[in-house]
Amino acid sequence: MADALSAASPLVIWTSLGFICGRWLPAVIPQWLGRGLYWVGVPIQIFALVRQTNFAELIWLAPVLAFVALIVGYVLAQSLYAWQQRYFQPQWLQYTPPFLSSTVPEGESRRFQGSYLIASILGNTGFVGLGVSIPLLSAAALPWATFYAITQNALGTYGLGSFLGQYYGKGNDQPWWRALAVIPTVPTLWAAMAGFATHDLSFPEAIETLCEMDIHLVIPLAFLLTGIRLSCLPGWQSFRIALLPILVKTLLLPLTMMAIAYGLGLRGDTLLAIAIMAGTPTAFAALILAEEYELNTEIPPAAIALSTLSFVVVLPLWVCLCRQVLT
């Protein structure tokens, strides 16, 4: 419990600071910070972590589990959505169009479903996931979180996320395979390959020191950016419609992935790495995809906010289960 609170405290402190300051910062600050982390900070972090990884373990299972989590998340989200639509439709969970007419416009429920699926499946594994994992996990378990994050970033955000946005979105007539063309441009993927290629090489001490500094500098900057982005999110009145994706993202998906990983023989911090990554808050990319593909834009901001708060609450539970119960 103490370890979980210690690991979550930077998330709470730096995110709160970003949230407080975000309303007064020029819009260009979070833009520069986000692009800097995406193109420089996180790739160097991934590069350094891959170089420190001992590949004697079954690390290849981590990206496999990340891919499985995408499929499981999709199935869980679709099943819960269908169940809610058919058997359980309380008024407070229904989508209310933001205009006087009570008739939902044609195609709106489809765009609503697209945003719901993306918010339920895509996690903030790069910023929040790795930011919590680095101080919390052991050196042997950290590579599992690293490779999970890389797979989620490449295949999840820019693969499945783009595909769902294109499929459920408005006015997108490009073929589905166009969504996958962006994967080779993901900088963390190239950083991981560079780490693999130079794994057994020795760099000058200054470069190694800079890489180590980057690992610890990216964490507060990523949390700070999270807070800034949260302070700027619209649609705070739409929390009720984010409850279903939060149920999937915060509880159902991590519990299911923990069961799968436990059945495969993972224990301790390795199991915890899978639980943390599967249960990370909804990615900010969900909002970007909703805007890009003209999906419903009310769900992602509410899901990001609520899932960030709920992640802090449930993190001690994952630590307790993986380190004390499921041993």
Side-chain angles (χ1 to χ4, degrees):
M1 182 70 72
D3 290 342
L5 294 176
S6 176
S9 59
L11 171 62
V12 175
I13 293 171
W14 287 101
T15 301
S16 300
L17 179 62
F19 184 82
I20 294 171
C21 300
R23 297 180 181 273
W24 292 278
L25 290 176
V28 71
I29 298 298
Q31 291 175 2
W32 286 350
L33 181 56
R35 292 183 67 86
L37 286 171
Y38 179 79
W39 289 103
V40 180
V42 174
I44 294 177
Q45 181 190 63
I46 294 295
F47 172 78
L49 291 174
V50 170
R51 280 178 47 82
Q52 297 172 8
T53 298
N54 178 11
F55 295 105
E57 302 291 336
L58 293 177
I59 303 300
W60 58 267
L61 189 56
V64 172
L65 288 172
F67 177 77
V68 170
L70 293 173
I71 305 303
V72 170
Y74 177 80
V75 172
L76 287 173
Q78 283 282 35
S79 301
L80 185 63
Y81 185 83
W83 173 81
Q84 183 268 327
Q85 289 291 310
R86 184 170 182 178
Y87 298 109
F88 185 67
Q89 300 188 28
Q91 184 62 34
W92 52 274
L93 274 179
Q94 301 309 301
Y95 172 70
T96 303
F99 30 76
L100 296 178
S101 172
S102 60
T103 304
V104 178
E106 183 180 357
E108 184 58 41
S109 106
R110 182 177 175 84
R111 293 192 286 273
F112 179 89
Q113 185 177 2
S115 281
Y116 158 77
L117 290 173
I118 288 174
S120 300
I121 298 170
L122 301 185
N124 195 338
T125 55
F127 291 165
V128 176
L130 285 178
V132 171
S133 296
I134 289 174
L136 183 60
L137 299 178
S138 64
L142 186 56
W144 290 74
T146 301
F147 288 119
Y148 191 112
I150 295 170
T151 307
Q152 163 79 30
N153 193 20
L155 299 184
T157 303
Y158 299 102
L160 182 60
S162 296
F163 172 75
L164 291 174
Q166 181 173 291
Y167 182 76
Y168 286 97
K170 175 183 177 182
N172 295 287
D173 54 0
Q174 295 181 348
W176 65 268
W177 48 265
R178 283 280 184 91
L180 304 180
V182 74
I183 293 179
T185 69
V186 178
T188 52
L189 191 60
W190 289 98
M193 291 190 293
F196 278 118
T198 61
H199 186 270
D200 297 324
L201 299 180
S202 296
F203 287 163
E205 184 176 350
I207 295 180
E208 298 285 1
T209 301
L210 286 175
C211 289
E212 191 66 27
M213 289 174 58
D214 178 86
I215 292 177
H216 299 287
L217 181 62
V218 163
I219 296 174
L221 290 179
F223 292 158
L224 188 68
L225 176 63
T226 300
I228 295 173
R229 289 301 190 192
L230 285 175
S231 72
C232 301
L233 290 178
W236 293 85
Q237 71 278 8
S238 304
F239 281 148
R240 61 187 177 84
I241 61 176
L243 293 178
L244 283 182
I246 293 310
L247 179 60
V248 175
K249 193 73 194 71
T250 304
L251 289 176
L252 297 182
L253 181 56
L255 285 173
T256 303
M257 290 310 301
M258 285 174 64
I260 294 173
Y262 184 84
L264 292 173
L266 302 189
R267 299 291 187 273
D269 275 17
T270 304
L271 181 62
L272 179 59
I274 303 302
I276 291 174
M277 286 296 165
T280 49
T282 298
F284 281 97
L287 183 58
I288 297 173
L289 291 169
E291 295 284 358
E292 177 69 20
Y293 293 101
E294 298 185 49
L295 301 171
N296 179 281
T297 55
E298 293 184 46
I299 299 179
I304 291 168
L306 285 181
S307 61
T308 301
L309 294 174
S310 60
F311 178 74
V312 176
V313 174
V314 300
L315 181 60
L317 174 61
W318 306 147
V319 174
C320 179
L321 285 175
C322 295
R323 289 182 174 175
Q324 300 180 22
V325 179
L326 301 175
T327 56

